[in-house]
Amino acid sequence: MGGVTARRPVAWVAAVVLVPEALGVLFLNWVLSIVVDKQQMSMAGVDPAAMSTGAWVLGAVFAVYLVCCAVLLARIGLRDRPPGTFGRIVLVSCAVVHAVLGAFAVGLAGWGAFAAMMAVLALLVLTLTAYGAAYGGGGGGGDNESVEDGGRAGRGASATPPARPTY
């Protein structure tokens, strides 16, 4: 029962951490769009106004993505049930994004930013693995399943181990 008791708080903490991160991403891209607009920066002949708008829109889309991940994690923590397939895909993609951003953060922003990204990555991976046994085992952590029998109660599972295979 040791790993099961920590999964709800970890999901909640991950959800809470993703919201300020989304606000930080939104703020950073807003500042970037202002700098691009004021300096009239351009890459490969692209209009500076288009680059400024693109930075703002990309930051807003990424912030909405992080908030959606936070809502998904809060829902997981509230219901104490594993996410569905789509939810797992979203959370895995969020974990991969944090791993890549952590790798970039070392060179661009320093070890503190890397540590922050890895902390969020650890929370995401811990949430996914804590609910992974229930997802992979077919159980949903329902109220009628006990922890002692691994969630096999009421599904016709035999108490004896399977016979040894013959070769």
Side-chain angles (χ1 to χ4, degrees):
M1 184 161 164
V4 174
T5 58
R7 65 186 186 185
R8 289 181 84 172
V10 168
W12 276 107
V13 168
V16 168
V17 166
L18 283 179
V19 173
E21 182 180 354
L23 293 174
V25 165
L26 190 62
F27 177 73
L28 183 66
N29 278 294
W30 175 64
V31 169
L32 180 64
S33 71
I34 290 173
V35 169
V36 166
D37 193 39
K38 296 287 184 191
Q39 296 293 323
Q40 293 295 311
M41 295 179 182
S42 177
M43 284 189 341
V46 177
D47 183 34
M51 290 187 61
S52 175
T53 304
W56 175 242
V57 169
L58 183 63
V61 168
F62 191 58
V64 167
Y65 169 71
L66 289 175
V67 168
C68 287
C69 290
V71 168
L72 179 63
L73 285 164
R75 184 173 177 246
I76 290 168
L78 181 68
R79 295 177 60 203
D80 198 27
R81 302 239 175 161
T85 303
F86 180 74
R88 289 184 68 80
I89 290 170
V90 169
L91 291 178
V92 166
S93 70
C94 189
V96 169
V97 165
H98 278 83
V100 171
L101 286 178
F104 285 132
V106 172
L108 297 174
W111 288 102
F114 173 76
M117 288 290 117
M118 292 303 106
V120 177
L121 173 65
L123 288 170
L124 289 168
V125 170
L126 188 57
T127 300
L128 284 167
T129 55
Y131 285 99
Y135 183 78
D143 297 333
N144 61 349
E145 298 170 353
S146 67
V147 176
E148 290 81 20
D149 66 355
R152 292 184 299 267
R155 282 188 275 181
S158 65
T160 60
R164 187 175 174 152
T166 57
Y167 298 102

